[in-house]
Amino acid sequence: MRRAVLAAIAVAVLATGCGATQGDTNSSSDKASSPAKKAPETPETPETPKSAKTLDGTLLVADFGADTVSFVDPAPGKGVFDSVKVGHAPYGLVVGDDGRAWVATAEGVAVVDTDSREREALIPYETEGLGPVTDGEYRGGGMGIALAPDGEHAYVGVNVPDGNGALETIDTRTEKVTDTASVGRRPFDVDVSRDGRQVYATDHDSFDVTVLDTRGGDTRRIEVAPYGTEGGLGSWLKPHYAAVRPSDGKLLLPFEGEKLVVVDPDTGRSTVERMTANTHQHGVTITPDGTLLAVGTGPIDPSEDEGPSLTVRAPGGKEKVVPLDGPHEDVAVSDDGRTAYVTGGFTRDGYWNGITVVDIDSGDTRRLAAGERPLGIAVL
């Protein structure tokens, strides 16, 4: 993709694309003409009794189009078998070793016991100026969320419409907010360093990552803009999601299936590696061996860019690009590293109500009906 072409498109779609104004209930990130796709109907899977323990390997997804999280059996012919009301427009989620899920909603952070499949708490945000509880990516409230390695704190990125966001720290024992720090605009994603001493908020609309020192509470911002910041809020070329590389703790941020920005959070310096998918990229995850998975939502310019895909990038940089049918948003990987689960919710138009299951070795895919506009996903 040529930067000049992308800049021109960014200006043309200032109110509809990655640069949509914060009053727009659509989101930021695929071509505006993406057709909505009808998901296959949810299989008639018998509801699992609440007394039955949730099995390992179950998927938990945040239903951005509803007020629930769904429990999904990913086996062929299966699907959603239970759901729990958590709060309006849930976005990101994370699950701790104790089985509790922490879900960022427009109203607060919901705490869900994934064994009993019940909500045990809804923790209100301390940040002011969130506006009314509403829908859409630009709504006020929680977006990215992560847990400290020891499970003692949860960190949630809070979007403040028309302004800089916040990073709230939650004590997972007391289930209360204990600290709030200012970050950039619209913290799409939150990640934590391997030693728990730093938290990283990926600030979509300010082209940067905010680094929080968990010991002293200090913050600093690192610009991440491999294409520059031309276009401002109207630009498509902004950071979305990041992953912490296990080998050295550096942050990996994919851009447009063309560039992987590798950020050293200690020095603020970055390098750029080539990527090959040539598609607008959103959600990422990384396996313990350093394999990076990046979701391609589709083209910015259909005349030059490729369609939706999942990039599987080995630690040495070799990539496999698996084509997907329709836009997707986020991704999780099975414990054995052999299967990826890619949510079809997508933060813009063109979403569908399901998950694509990807065999990482063969590249084979199948669709699984799941939830209502599912975004965040975790494997239990």
Side-chain angles (χ1 to χ4, degrees):
M1 289 179 281
R2 294 185 296 272
R3 181 178 172 182
V5 173
L6 293 174
I9 293 173
V11 172
V13 296
L14 181 59
T16 58
C18 259
T21 61
Q22 290 201 351
D24 187 353
T25 56
N26 285 331
S27 155
S28 72
S29 308
D30 200 4
K31 59 182 170 106
S33 59
S34 296
K37 290 183 177 285
K38 180 177 176 61
E41 293 184 1
T42 303
E44 294 295 329
T45 305
E47 181 174 311
T48 301
K50 291 288 186 184
S51 58
K53 185 179 184 299
T54 305
L55 297 178
D56 291 344
T58 295
L59 307 179
L60 184 69
V61 298
D63 297 325
F64 192 55
D67 60 357
T68 58
V69 292
S70 290
F71 290 79
V72 183
D73 183 338
K78 300 294 185 178
V80 176
F81 63 85
D82 206 351
S83 63
V84 176
K85 289 187 176 181
V86 290
H88 200 70
Y91 194 98
L93 57 80
V94 64
V95 180
D97 292 339
D98 61 1
R100 287 185 297 173
W102 303 79
V103 188
T105 81
E107 300 175 65
V109 173
V111 186
V112 176
D113 184 322
T114 61
D115 285 335
S116 64
R117 299 190 295 281
E118 295 179 343
R119 190 185 82 176
E120 64 178 40
L122 182 64
I123 305 167
Y125 301 116
E126 296 291 329
T127 303
E128 297 181 351
L130 302 186
V133 174
T134 187
D135 300 300
E137 181 192 326
Y138 294 94
R139 60 148 179 73
M143 298 187 75
I145 190 167
L147 280 169
D150 61 11
E152 293 184 2
H153 294 92
Y155 304 96
V156 58
V158 181
N159 179 44
V160 179
D162 302 314
N164 284 341
L167 184 65
E168 297 199 3
T169 301
I170 297 171
D171 183 315
T172 58
R173 181 182 60 83
T174 64
E175 298 182 350
K176 295 183 182 298
V177 175
T178 58
D179 197 13
T180 300
S182 178
V183 299
R185 296 175 71 105
R186 283 208 298 154
F188 252 59
D189 194 21
V190 175
D191 297 276
V192 184
S193 65
R194 297 167 298 169
D195 59 11
R197 294 184 176 184
Q198 293 180 337
V199 180
Y200 314 114
T202 301
D203 307 319
H204 178 269
D205 281 357
S206 49
F207 296 89
D208 56 31
V209 170
T210 300
V211 181
L212 169 70
D213 184 330
T214 59
R215 294 163 295 181
D218 295 335
T219 61
R220 52 193 169 84
R221 304 263 284 276
I222 301 172
E223 184 176 282
V224 186
Y227 295 92
T229 60
E230 184 178 355
L233 292 178
S235 174
W236 296 82
L237 308 176
K238 297 180 281 192
H240 290 83
Y241 296 79
V244 178
R245 189 159 61 187
S247 61
D248 58 9
K250 292 183 178 180
L251 301 178
L252 307 180
L253 297 98
F255 284 77
E256 308 309 314
E258 296 179 331
K259 300 181 179 185
L260 180 68
V261 180
V262 182
V263 179
D264 185 330
D266 293 325
T267 66
R269 298 189 183 96
S270 63
T271 58
V272 177
E273 300 176 5
R274 179 175 176 267
M275 297 189 76
T276 61
N278 188 25
T279 186
H280 191 57
Q281 287 176 318
H282 272 208
V284 299
T285 193
I286 197 163
T287 64
D289 72 354
T291 299
L292 179 72
L293 290 90
V295 179
T297 67
I300 292 176
D301 182 352
S303 69
E304 293 194 0
D305 309 334
E306 301 296 331
S309 63
L310 177 68
T311 291
V312 182
R313 183 183 178 92
K318 184 178 180 180
E319 292 187 348
K320 174 192 294 185
V321 179
V322 180
L324 300 177
D325 180 13
H328 293 69
E329 182 68 23
D330 207 356
V331 58
V333 182
S334 61
D335 286 345
D336 62 10
R338 298 176 61 183
T339 307
Y341 306 101
V342 195
T343 55
F346 193 35
T347 46
R348 228 200 105 72
D349 52 354
Y351 65 86
W352 57 285
N353 295 333
I355 293 168
T356 296
V357 181
V358 181
D359 184 302
I360 292 176
D361 289 335
S362 68
D364 293 339
T365 66
R366 60 181 171 87
R367 277 191 164 195
L368 175 70
E372 190 169 337
R373 199 173 184 174
L375 293 188
I377 182 169
V379 181
L380 304 181

